[in-house]
Amino acid sequence: MSLHKPSKWPLLQILLRLQILMSYHLSSMEGGTLRITEEIMMDGLSGVGGPVVNVNKLSPSISDPIQSDCVSLEDSVPLVLQAEGDVVIGGLFPIHYLATQPENFYSSQPQNTQCSGFDHRAFRWMMTMVFAVGEINRDSGLLPGVRLGYRILDSCDHVHTSLRAAHSLVNPNHRGAAGRANVETGPETEPLCLAGASIPAVIGLASSSPTRAVAHTLGPFRIPLVSYFATCACLTDKRVYPSFLRTVPSDLFQVRGLVQLVTHFGWRWVGTLGTEDDYSRYGIQAFSQQLKEQNGCIAFHLTIPNSPSAAELGALADILQSSKARVVVAFATEGELFELLSTLSQRNVTGIQWVASEAWVTARLLTSPQFQPLLGGTLGFAFPGTYLPGLAEFLLAVRPSPHPGSEFVNMFWEELFGCRLEFGQEGSGNTTVTRPTNLNGVCTGAEDLRETLSSYTDVAQVRISYNVYKAVHAIAHALHQLMQCDSGEDRSGMGRCKTNTSFTPGELLYNLKKVNFTNQFGEKVHFDMNGEPVPLYDIINWQKDFSGKIRFIKVGSYDGSAPLGHQLQIKESLVEWTKGQSQVPVSLCSVPCPPGTRQAARKGEPPCCFDCVQCADGGISNKTDSMECTKCPDYYWSDRNRVRCVAGVDDFLSYYDTMGVILVTLTLIGVVTTAIITAVFHRFRTTPIVRANNSELSFLLLLSLKLCFLCALVFIGQPSVWSCKFRQAAFGISFVLCLSCLLVKTIVVLSAFRATIPGSSVLKLFGKSQQRSLIFCTTAPQVCLCAGWLSTAPPFPFRNPFNQGTTGKILLECKESWPPGFYLVLGYIGLLAVICLLLAFLGRKLPDTFNEAKLITFSMLIFCAVWLSFIPAYVSSPGKLTVAVEIFAILASSFGLLLFIFVPKCYIILLRPERNTKKRMTGKTSK
């Protein structure tokens, strides 16, 4: 999967297309041979037609004098592995994985692309195709009477070399690259380019970029291209690649599986590594997008350039070493990763959890001891492996030979054993393959492959080779249908196929798309509407065995056709992680936010980099890495750790609270004190000091004060419907009655003072009946106001969660349906208090022996001071303290009235009885 700039190979295709179209001017052929006309050309471009392949006569005639040659610009002859047959299948394999980037100046003949780096695994793929063809030829039931042949070339895993190989493949006489593969040999001919291709189908290639180039070239001619390893999702587009099929699933499914694998282990901060080819570009783009949809982030994306310099490799290694991302997903081949991984190994880099794509997850090239500390524990997707009976024996029987057509085997032999064959590559005329320079000694050709350990001989579980095997058998089954083969035996003891029938590659493509059979391993082989198989993968883990060698251990599977949630199956206990750890590696930009907190994004950084902020009061998060906190429902509140909502505790001023006990005690003291004073006044009701100020008013005032004390008890305890209604009415009426009595008492004092003036009749005009009427008239408005208020919009019990965040409690209170009602009640009380204060203030200078007005003045000053301070205290007090403040105001004002008005009188009655005489009260005693 070598890098190639997209801008160069389309130009090469355009030149190739122009060259191909010139071949359509070939005139008609005679003698039952192939006839190329404009009609056939159009059929090949638009339908299932294409160049006609006659099984009995494949070589076109050259009897027509008008011809057009396909001119090769290279001086070299491509190496080919071939075998003759009635139908010849083409093959393109990356036998070499490195190719130099040619520098074309367009003013001279293009340079040859030099290939190097022999790939033992790709050589096994090629030999598997040879093995499969031989197996089919020995099967008398699949293609009876028809012998398959093959023509295989090296693609060098590069766009340029792949296109050149494809052109040479479908033009068998191209520069002597291939011989004939006919039942009846015809005369040698000049090449007919793609229009005269004798190859009805091609198996290849491995990498996506070369595959796209070749598929784009073969597509208009309906020549089937069946890939065994090109997984790019871009190849799914049948409008661009109409003749492309593959026995390997699209990267679309692999990417989905990799994303599920990464998210399964909680890796949200992941790096990606790839190259500039289509396989990496499309794969990493899809992976990044789907990972972001799963709340994951890409820490970095590194691209390995083509033929990287030491400085470029060092820069890539620096990023891998310094990043906090400990998981790296690599979309590349082993050849492309080799140099970078070598650099990392030289630096002794460890601790990176590698996630491999199918391109390199089973590559033996990277399992050498130098890579084990770096790549041990690698996890990745691989195609399902199987054991192919007879393949191992076939591969071990391969031997070098000096005969033409054995060049690939000879290269493999020299590369594997590190020696030089005497016949080697000399005389092949090939200049596109660089021969190794580190060969020591001479090979005898009798070396034993059983004594070697390489990816070539490791066939216990073949994967890509199995895809090649399935591709060959799929083409064979398509030919079986196309040639109407009879699997049953005829009189001669053999089944037969109609070998005298011509067919086009397009017709083979049509039948290939309809292939549906079950092979000897029980797998159902077929292609969907996009020409792709069922997406099945094994999850492979790189583990050391007892001998210290890396083994590919299956630890799970992925079935892209299974329902969501059942696609990924993995046994975590079987996984060996990087550095031999048994615990799952952690790869996060930020530490996960524990329950009770939420993520707070950092400005200018990816979503995976965040700070953890505790949930606000009333909010919870009961899982790790919550994006937002969940607000608790009404009357529920978050606990101290902000992980669950708890029911709020109802809170009210209870009789059992310390504050409640204190207030109840003060209330009882006030009631008892009022009762004692009432008893004292009743006992001494005939004394002058009691009779002097209208004893009836005194007793009514004491009764109202007792009610004021008692109404405080209604404010204590759990609010109910009746208590919410009764408390404000009791409070309002009790205090209005008390103030009415004080008002009348003050008026009586002033009237008595005025009565001492000669001729005054004030006292007669304000008798007891008038006093009672005034008390009734001043109390009745408050009674009416309370009655109307409580009947239309009464207060009601309410669970107030306002302070739940600070106290964790829900306040049970009486909520005012109509707040102005309460303020009117309070305002009327204030009005009476102000009037009473003003009248008492006017009588403050009465004779000392008649100081009732002075006492009322002091008491009213305290009353007004208490209720003026009540308003801000009431508004600012939290929770149940609001009720406590109101009770305190009631008690304070009641005690003020009681103590300033009645205690001085009790003092005289009980302790200074000598002053409780009529003479002393009238002030007529001598001094």
Side-chain angles (χ1 to χ4, degrees):
M1 199 173 299
S2 302
L3 169 67
H4 185 74
K5 295 182 179 179
S7 60
K8 290 185 178 180
W9 71 263
L11 178 59
L12 183 61
Q13 284 199 48
I14 292 171
L15 296 174
L16 183 58
R17 289 295 180 84
L18 292 174
Q19 188 180 32
I20 291 168
L21 292 176
M22 291 174 62
S23 65
Y24 284 121
H25 295 289
L26 289 173
S27 58
S28 302
M29 302 296 173
E30 298 181 359
T33 56
L34 182 64
R35 178 181 176 87
I36 303 296
T37 65
E38 185 177 359
E39 288 78 6
I40 295 178
M41 178 193 73
M42 296 306 297
D43 182 54
L45 291 173
S46 59
V48 295
V52 176
V53 177
N54 189 302
V55 178
N56 287 324
K57 205 172 221 15
L58 296 176
S59 297
S61 172
I62 59 170
S63 58
D64 201 309
I66 302 176
Q67 302 176 32
S68 177
D69 296 343
C70 286
V71 180
S72 174
L73 298 180
E74 303 100 351
D75 295 327
S76 61
V77 178
L79 296 178
V80 61
L81 179 65
Q82 62 182 348
E84 293 184 356
D86 301 326
V87 178
V88 179
I89 302 174
L92 295 173
F93 294 88
I95 306 303
H96 294 85
Y97 57 83
L98 293 177
T100 60
Q101 183 73 23
E103 295 183 2
N104 296 323
F105 301 101
Y106 304 101
S107 60
S108 60
Q109 181 174 321
Q111 300 175 358
N112 294 317
T113 301
Q114 297 296 318
C115 300
S116 61
F118 195 90
D119 192 338
H120 294 184
R121 189 167 64 140
F123 182 68
R124 168 163 49 87
W125 303 341
M126 181 183 73
M127 297 309 296
T128 302
M129 177 178 173
V130 176
F131 168 77
V133 169
E135 185 179 77
I136 293 171
N137 287 335
R138 292 190 298 271
D139 185 357
S140 60
L142 186 55
L143 291 175
V146 176
R147 180 175 181 81
L148 283 184
Y150 53 81
R151 184 173 293 115
I152 304 173
L153 281 80
D154 183 6
S155 68
C156 289
D157 204 24
H158 195 276
V159 173
H160 293 165
T161 52
S162 297
L163 281 172
R164 185 184 62 214
H167 186 234
S168 300
L169 185 65
V170 296
N171 292 273
N173 296 308
H174 172 65
R175 304 287 292 181
R180 297 176 297 277
N182 311 359
V183 174
E184 298 180 11
T185 304
E188 286 214 11
T189 65
E190 291 298 323
L192 297 176
C193 295
L194 295 181
S198 60
I199 301 296
V202 178
I203 295 177
L205 297 88
S207 299
S208 296
S209 290
T211 303
R212 291 184 68 189
V214 174
H216 200 274
T217 302
L218 300 182
F221 303 96
R222 295 298 191 268
I223 300 176
L225 178 65
V226 185
S227 176
Y228 48 86
F229 206 10
T231 58
C232 181
C234 56
L235 289 163
T236 303
D237 191 349
K238 294 297 127 182
R239 295 172 300 177
V240 181
Y241 312 105
S243 66
F244 177 77
L245 301 95
R246 50 186 163 190
T247 55
V248 56
S250 166
D251 275 339
L252 177 67
F253 300 100
Q254 180 186 203
V255 166
R256 291 176 184 172
L258 287 173
V259 170
Q260 290 186 30
L261 180 70
V262 167
T263 55
H264 174 79
F265 291 112
W267 298 328
R268 300 181 59 188
W269 190 237
V270 179
T272 58
L273 177 64
T275 59
E276 296 179 355
D277 64 355
D278 296 325
Y279 171 73
S280 292
R281 184 167 59 253
Y282 282 92
I284 291 176
Q285 180 181 359
F287 175 82
S288 302
Q289 181 178 353
Q290 293 186 31
L291 183 63
K292 290 178 181 177
E293 293 174 357
Q294 299 298 322
N295 298 323
C297 300
I298 300 299
F300 57 81
H301 169 56
L302 302 181
T303 301
I304 304 173
N306 187 37
S307 301
S309 63
E312 291 173 328
L313 293 174
L316 296 176
D318 290 340
I319 296 174
L320 287 168
Q321 282 185 274
S322 61
S323 175
K324 292 175 62 177
R326 293 290 85 195
V327 175
V328 178
V329 180
F331 278 83
T333 63
E334 64 272 27
E336 296 164 333
L337 293 172
F338 186 83
E339 293 184 8
L340 175 60
L341 296 179
S342 298
T343 302
L344 293 172
S345 298
Q346 293 171 4
R347 297 188 179 191
N348 296 321
V349 176
T350 58
I352 298 177
Q353 179 60 52
W354 295 91
V355 178
S357 66
E358 29 64 47
W360 67 279
V361 72
T362 55
R364 284 290 176 188
L365 179 66
L366 301 178
T367 60
S368 59
Q370 73 174 101
F371 295 120
Q372 290 182 5
L374 174 65
L375 298 179
T378 293
L379 202 64
F381 277 33
F383 307 122
T386 189
Y387 174 73
L388 294 179
L391 178 61
E393 292 77 9
F394 176 80
L395 295 178
L396 293 174
V398 170
R399 288 292 181 271
S401 170
H403 301 294
S406 300
E407 290 83 3
F408 289 133
V409 176
N410 297 343
M411 291 181 198
F412 162 70
W413 205 266
E414 291 181 340
E415 181 75 24
L416 181 63
F417 292 103
C419 55
R420 183 183 300 272
L421 290 168
E422 292 184 349
F423 40 87
Q425 300 175 42
E426 282 77 15
S428 65
N430 186 281
T431 59
T432 62
V433 176
T434 302
R435 192 173 188 180
T437 58
N438 57 345
L439 301 180
N440 300 316
V442 177
C443 300
T444 63
E447 289 82 4
D448 191 356
L449 289 174
R450 293 177 177 84
E451 298 178 356
T452 63
L453 180 62
S454 70
S455 56
Y456 174 77
T457 57
D458 183 12
V459 293
Q461 288 285 317
V462 292
R463 303 176 189 279
I464 313 303
S465 297
Y466 182 47
N467 291 339
V468 175
Y469 182 86
K470 288 188 292 184
V472 177
H473 276 265
I475 293 175
H477 277 79
L479 287 170
H480 179 90
Q481 296 296 326
L482 180 60
M483 301 171 65
Q484 302 177 12
C485 296
D486 180 11
S487 300
E489 296 184 353
D490 58 8
R491 295 179 182 179
S492 63
M494 295 291 293
R496 289 295 179 189
C497 297
K498 294 183 179 181
T499 58
N500 58 349
T501 303
S502 299
F503 65 91
T504 65
E507 291 172 337
L508 178 60
L509 175 63
Y510 176 77
N511 284 272
L512 189 57
K513 291 179 178 179
K514 296 172 60 178
V515 160
N516 193 333
F517 66 95
T518 302
N519 61 20
Q520 58 178 316
F521 309 105
E523 180 179 350
K524 192 173 183 180
V525 180
H526 66 93
F527 301 100
D528 62 13
M529 61 181 298
N530 294 318
E532 298 175 354
V534 176
L536 297 174
Y537 295 91
D538 289 342
I539 300 177
I540 299 300
N541 184 220
W542 290 24
Q543 300 182 9
K544 274 188 180 182
D545 60 10
F546 62 92
S547 62
K549 296 178 181 178
I550 293 292
R551 297 295 180 188
F552 303 136
I553 306 300
K554 179 181 176 180
V555 295
S557 61
Y558 178 80
D559 184 357
S561 62
L564 192 63
H566 301 278
Q567 297 174 338
L568 183 70
Q569 304 292 333
I570 188 168
K571 298 178 181 178
E572 295 186 29
S573 59
L574 300 179
V575 179
E576 179 180 301
W577 303 103
T578 179
K579 299 172 68 174
Q581 298 175 353
S582 58
Q583 297 294 326
V584 179
V586 176
S587 184
L588 300 169
C589 180
S590 299
V591 177
C593 291
T597 62
R598 65 173 179 85
Q599 297 179 6
R602 297 175 183 171
K603 187 175 181 180
E605 296 190 31
C608 295
C609 300
F610 49 80
D611 296 317
C612 297
V613 179
Q614 188 178 38
C615 293
D617 292 333
I620 65 164
S621 63
N622 53 12
K623 62 181 181 180
T624 303
D625 274 343
S626 294
M627 301 295 293
E628 297 291 342
C629 295
T630 304
K631 186 179 180 180
C632 291
D634 292 342
Y635 308 119
Y636 282 81
W637 203 249
S638 54
D639 62 357
R640 179 174 297 179
N641 296 324
R642 309 290 199 275
V643 295
R644 63 189 183 96
C645 292
V646 295
V649 179
D650 291 342
D651 188 34
F652 55 89
L653 187 60
S654 172
Y655 291 103
Y656 305 102
D657 292 342
T658 302
M659 182 66 70
V661 171
I662 294 174
L663 293 176
V664 168
T665 302
L666 292 176
T667 299
L668 294 178
I669 291 174
V671 172
V672 171
T673 303
T674 305
I676 292 173
I677 292 175
T678 302
V680 170
F681 267 55
H682 184 266
R683 171 70 179 79
F684 298 96
R685 63 185 179 278
T686 57
T687 61
I689 197 170
V690 176
R691 296 179 61 187
N693 302 113
N694 193 342
S695 59
E696 183 179 338
L697 281 178
S698 297
F699 285 114
L700 185 59
L701 180 58
L702 288 170
L703 176 62
S704 64
L705 286 174
K706 189 180 294 185
L707 293 177
C708 289
F709 281 117
L710 291 175
C711 78
L713 297 177
V714 186
F715 288 83
I716 304 175
Q718 182 174 350
S720 61
V721 176
W722 72 267
S723 65
C724 287
K725 292 181 179 180
F726 183 71
R727 64 169 60 173
Q728 299 296 0
F731 160 71
I733 295 174
S734 298
F735 268 89
V736 165
L737 179 61
C738 178
L739 292 174
S740 297
C741 293
L742 283 177
L743 179 62
V744 171
K745 200 172 186 64
T746 304
I747 295 174
V748 168
V749 171
L750 293 176
S751 299
F753 176 75
R754 292 290 181 182
T756 57
I757 300 174
S760 176
S761 60
V762 175
L763 197 58
K764 295 180 180 179
L765 296 175
F766 198 68
K768 290 186 177 181
S769 59
Q770 287 81 8
Q771 295 173 15
R772 296 191 190 102
S773 298
L774 184 57
I775 292 174
F776 177 78
C777 291
T778 53
T779 306
Q782 186 78 315
V783 174
C784 295
L785 179 60
C786 291
W789 173 35
L790 298 179
S791 61
T792 55
F796 58 90
F798 174 67
R799 303 181 71 195
N800 188 354
F802 180 75
N803 295 320
Q804 188 176 3
T806 55
T807 63
K809 298 179 180 180
I810 297 175
L811 178 63
L812 294 183
E813 62 181 5
C814 292
K815 187 173 183 179
E816 308 294 344
S817 300
W818 189 51
F822 172 73
Y823 296 112
L824 287 174
V825 169
L826 196 63
Y828 187 70
I829 293 174
L831 177 63
L832 291 181
V834 170
I835 295 173
C836 188
L837 176 61
L838 291 176
L839 293 176
F841 182 77
L842 293 176
R844 70 187 184 284
K845 293 184 179 181
L846 292 176
D848 292 339
T849 56
F850 201 73
N851 57 3
E852 184 78 8
K854 186 183 294 184
L855 297 176
I856 293 175
T857 300
F858 285 132
S859 64
M860 291 312 301
L861 284 174
I862 293 175
F863 184 91
C864 292
V866 168
W867 285 102
L868 286 175
S869 61
F870 160 76
I871 295 175
Y874 182 83
V875 172
S876 60
S877 298
K880 60 185 179 183
L881 293 181
T882 302
V883 180
V885 167
E886 188 171 357
I887 295 174
F888 178 79
I890 292 172
L891 295 177
S893 57
S894 299
F895 272 112
L897 294 175
L898 181 66
L899 296 177
F900 277 93
I901 294 176
F902 292 100
V903 169
K905 294 182 175 61
C906 290
Y907 172 76
I908 293 174
I909 292 173
L910 298 176
L911 300 178
R912 303 293 296 272
E914 68 277 7
R915 297 178 60 183
N916 190 8
T917 61
K918 187 175 182 180
K919 291 182 179 180
R920 295 295 298 268
M921 294 299 299
T922 56
K924 295 181 179 181
T925 57
S926 58
K927 296 182 180 179

